[in-house]
Amino acid sequence: MLGMIQLEAYTAMIAAAFGYAAFKKSGRATHKFGAGASGKIKILNNPNIPANEFFEAGKEFPCKLRHGTVSFEDEAAKDIRSASIKFSLNDEDAPLDLIMNTGDQGFFNAIEFWQFTMASVKNIKPDEPSSSEGLKELFTRDKLQSQLFEEGLRRAPSSFSQLYYHTQLINYYKSKDGVIRYAKYRLAPEDKGIESGLPVGEDAKRPWDQKRFPDEKKENDYLRKEFLDRISKQKIIYHLQVQLRTDDGKSSLDKTSLFRQEVEWEAKDYPWEDLALIILDKGLTLEETEKLQFNVGRQPSSLGIIPADSPEDPRSINHIRARVYKVSQMMRFLRY
């Protein structure tokens, strides 16, 4: 009971912070600047993936996808990039939303997320979307948070479509055989090639130092322009992949390590399987893109969020995101 009360308190604080940011920015609290497209999702016939009521082989869904940059308007900066997928052409309603970021690991509980939120605004300078001073202080003190943040940073990538995006957090996957499984999803480029924009050398060791390099020549919005220019000439294709792990109901399954972000699911034990093809063929206007509303809580009954019971619980991030997004979107549209 105490854990749930504490979790609701953190949820309220984070919702207030994000709601204020959305109202102040007259837009999204994060991932404000982005580009979108529409197309279709085709579920593949992969015998390695247990049958699921939603992901039926051969089924097709219309879709919309939005790419964004988490903090910076300047897309040449070192920042996290996002891909949000809506299994519908509606702006809001959909049977499923998938929200993904670069990096296969993310925040590992509500407390750490709140600490990061506070650090990102501490002593922030007028020309910074996130406080370099506050983040440096946090990451110097907490090496694990620094490591998980570093995982997702990309500096001046060549294209939104040459990155890998991960849901990071774990959801249910309830298959027709009655076995409860857990799932992580990722979006892979069409060629499944090398990811663009990975920081190297000393740059990789300074996650708080995010501004563009002084000699960088790319325009602030070059990623958005490249994405929309490309889709005006050709289709953009992604692979939607899933990583599954079975809950066998035995005590041998360590639920703590299963859900913790700092403990990876090794691909040799839990391989990434091709679940669907995402084929985009039409760019969205800025207005169409900005009307899109995504929420991790928007899932069918055969999938779904795993409940959390305290702010220390690694599942608490999904709990908070499902609630906070609603508040942030409401404030954004009030101001919009």
Side-chain angles (χ1 to χ4, degrees):
M1 176 64 75
L2 177 59
M4 285 303 300
I5 293 173
Q6 292 172 330
L7 178 56
E8 291 305 320
Y10 274 96
T11 302
M13 291 189 298
I14 294 171
F18 273 67
Y20 173 75
F23 186 79
K24 184 178 180 181
K25 294 179 180 180
S26 300
R28 288 172 166 81
T30 61
H31 309 78
K32 181 176 180 179
F33 303 98
S38 63
K40 67 180 179 180
I41 299 172
K42 183 176 181 179
I43 308 302
L44 302 176
N45 183 12
N46 185 338
N48 295 325
I49 301 176
N52 171 274
E53 289 182 0
F54 185 76
F55 294 123
E56 293 184 351
K59 185 188 289 186
E60 292 189 2
F61 298 88
C63 73
K64 287 184 177 179
L65 180 147
R66 182 185 189 271
H67 282 304
T69 300
V70 170
S71 298
F72 282 76
E73 179 179 6
D74 182 2
E75 293 171 339
K78 184 173 67 177
D79 204 347
I80 294 170
R81 320 294 162 158
S82 66
S84 300
I85 308 165
K86 183 172 291 295
F87 281 60
S88 169
L89 293 179
N90 294 326
D91 295 333
E92 182 175 1
D93 292 336
L96 175 64
D97 285 351
L98 291 177
I99 300 175
M100 309 184 191
N101 289 314
T102 46
D104 57 4
Q105 296 166 292
F107 300 107
F108 50 92
N109 64 36
I111 296 173
E112 302 291 344
F113 184 49
W114 177 249
Q115 290 175 352
F116 175 86
T117 301
M118 292 297 96
S120 65
V121 297
K122 182 179 180 181
N123 298 328
I124 190 169
K125 297 179 176 62
D127 64 339
E128 293 181 329
S130 295
S131 171
S132 56
E133 180 181 330
L135 292 179
K136 181 179 181 179
E137 180 182 315
L138 173 65
F139 293 151
T140 301
R141 182 176 73 247
D142 191 330
K143 297 299 183 183
L144 182 55
Q145 278 220 61
S146 179
Q147 174 190 327
L148 296 182
F149 186 64
E150 290 166 19
E151 289 276 343
L153 294 174
R154 303 291 180 266
R155 181 179 287 284
S158 61
S159 172
F160 277 131
S161 61
Q162 203 58 43
L163 298 170
Y164 287 77
Y165 303 90
H166 296 252
T167 53
Q168 300 171 344
L169 299 167
I170 299 163
N171 293 294
Y172 280 124
Y173 183 97
K174 303 171 186 177
S175 49
K176 291 183 178 181
D177 60 13
V179 177
I180 297 295
R181 293 177 173 84
Y182 302 109
K184 293 182 180 181
Y185 302 92
R186 79 174 180 182
L187 201 63
E190 180 179 13
D191 64 0
K192 298 182 183 178
I194 297 174
E195 189 164 13
S196 174
L198 293 168
V200 297
E202 286 300 312
D203 188 40
K205 301 175 183 178
R206 297 173 59 85
W208 57 85
D209 188 5
Q210 295 182 255
K211 290 183 179 179
R212 68 162 56 209
F213 285 147
D215 59 350
E216 179 61 71
K217 304 300 183 185
K218 293 182 176 70
E219 296 179 283
N220 276 18
D221 59 349
Y222 79 97
L223 283 176
R224 285 166 275 174
K225 287 181 177 178
E226 190 276 339
F227 181 80
L228 293 174
D229 180 63
R230 178 179 298 198
I231 203 168
S232 70
K233 300 172 183 175
Q234 65 185 65
K235 294 177 181 178
I236 295 177
I237 298 174
Y238 296 101
H239 302 274
L240 179 61
Q241 300 178 312
V242 65
Q243 194 178 33
L244 295 172
R245 189 166 176 176
T246 301
D247 183 348
D248 56 14
K250 300 177 181 178
S251 58
S252 61
L253 182 62
D254 182 349
K255 296 292 182 65
T256 300
S257 65
L258 172 66
F259 296 117
R260 291 188 69 84
Q261 282 295 298
E262 66 270 33
V263 181
E264 292 187 57
W265 292 7
E266 295 291 345
K268 63 181 177 62
D269 300 318
Y270 310 102
W272 287 104
E273 297 286 352
D274 288 338
L275 174 63
L277 276 179
I278 297 181
I279 305 167
L280 305 174
D281 55 14
K282 181 184 178 183
L284 300 179
T285 66
L286 176 61
E287 184 176 5
E288 289 171 332
T289 302
E290 290 313 297
K291 286 182 177 179
L292 291 173
Q293 300 183 51
F294 299 93
N295 194 310
V296 295
R298 199 171 284 129
Q299 298 192 35
S301 59
S302 61
L303 303 175
I305 289 177
I306 303 168
D309 54 24
S310 75
E312 292 89 359
D313 188 331
R315 298 166 292 188
S316 60
I317 295 294
N318 260 348
H319 173 94
I320 284 176
R321 289 168 79 188
R323 303 272 292 278
V324 167
Y325 286 4
K326 293 179 181 179
V327 175
S328 178
Q329 288 164 359
M330 179 183 70
M331 298 304 293
R332 171 161 63 99
F333 277 93
L334 280 174
R335 185 66 183 267
Y336 184 77

